[in-house]
């Protein structure tokens, strides 16, 4: 490897650090009722906060995509994403708003699963789950406490 190759690689790294890029943020709140929601930060620093909740407070029922502006959190996981992944995340959120999954806490369809399913959908993670009823083990495996302590 010559000096020009090393210089080029360092310039690419510096470019990645200094140029704004989209980010996906997984927020976890473990105070009171535990909750996970996501933030999408665009290149200009504008953030969209969304979460998945039951339409009416219950363990199961019609779900809805919820604006989480002002929601406090205990921890967060920040993931750098591409412009394409950012757009895929926006599309996932829009689909959840127009056709929300059924919320069923005891069968593994809740806020944390929704957030991780979004990260899987855009290719940022590969955690095996989905928004179909998978049983309580999915809620046990992926919940705000687990995500909080992953940080």
């Amino acid at each position: 490897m010559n000096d020009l190759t090393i210089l080029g690689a360092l310039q690419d790294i510096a470019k990645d650090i200094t140029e704004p890029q989209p980010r996906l943020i997984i927020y976890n709140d473990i105070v009171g009722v535990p909750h996970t929601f996501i933030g999408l930060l665009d290149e200009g620093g504008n953030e969209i906060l969304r979460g998945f909740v039951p339409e009416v407070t219950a363990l199961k029922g019609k779900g809805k995509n919820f604006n989480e502006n002002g929601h406090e959190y205990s921890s967060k996981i920040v993931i750098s994403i591409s412009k394409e992944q950012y757009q895929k995340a926006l599309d996932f959120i829009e689909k959840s708003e127009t056709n929300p999954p059924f919320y069923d806490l005891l069968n593994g369809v809740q806020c944390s699963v929704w957030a991780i399913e979004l990260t899987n959908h855009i290719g940022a993670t590969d955690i095996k789950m989905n928004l179909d009823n998978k049983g309580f083990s999915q809620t046990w495996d992926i919940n705000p406490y687990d995500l909080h302590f992953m940080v």
Side-chain angles (χ1 to χ4, degrees), residues 26-136:
I26 303 171
Y27 292 99
N28 300 291
D29 177 12
I30 60 169
V31 177
V33 176
H35 186 53
T36 298
F37 56 101
I38 60 100
L40 278 177
L41 194 63
D42 69 15
E43 295 156 316
N46 303 303
E47 188 171 31
I48 297 169
L49 296 167
R50 293 291 185 275
F52 178 65
V53 297
E55 192 172 72
V56 176
T57 302
L59 294 178
K60 71 190 273 185
K62 185 175 180 182
K64 73 174 182 177
N65 187 274
F66 186 72
N67 183 335
E68 297 285 355
N69 288 342
H71 197 294
E72 295 182 9
Y73 61 93
S74 307
S75 65
K76 64 183 179 179
I77 301 167
V78 180
I79 303 168
S80 295
I81 58 175
S82 68
K83 291 177 186 177
E84 294 80 16
Q85 288 173 310
Y86 179 86
Q87 186 57 53
K88 283 180 83 171
L90 288 177
D91 294 344
F92 183 92
I93 290 169
E94 183 179 320
K95 181 181 176 189
S96 290
E97 288 174 352
T98 57
N99 188 23
F102 188 78
Y103 185 95
D104 191 345
L105 180 66
L106 298 179
N107 278 308
V109 184
Q110 36 81 351
C111 59
S112 299
V113 172
W114 179 86
I116 295 300
E117 183 63 19
L118 184 148
T119 68
N120 286 342
H121 177 76
I122 69 170
T125 60
D126 186 22
I127 300 171
K128 303 297 180 211
M129 68 176 54
N130 62 47
L131 290 171
D132 296 326
N133 291 343
K134 291 295 178 185
F136 183 71

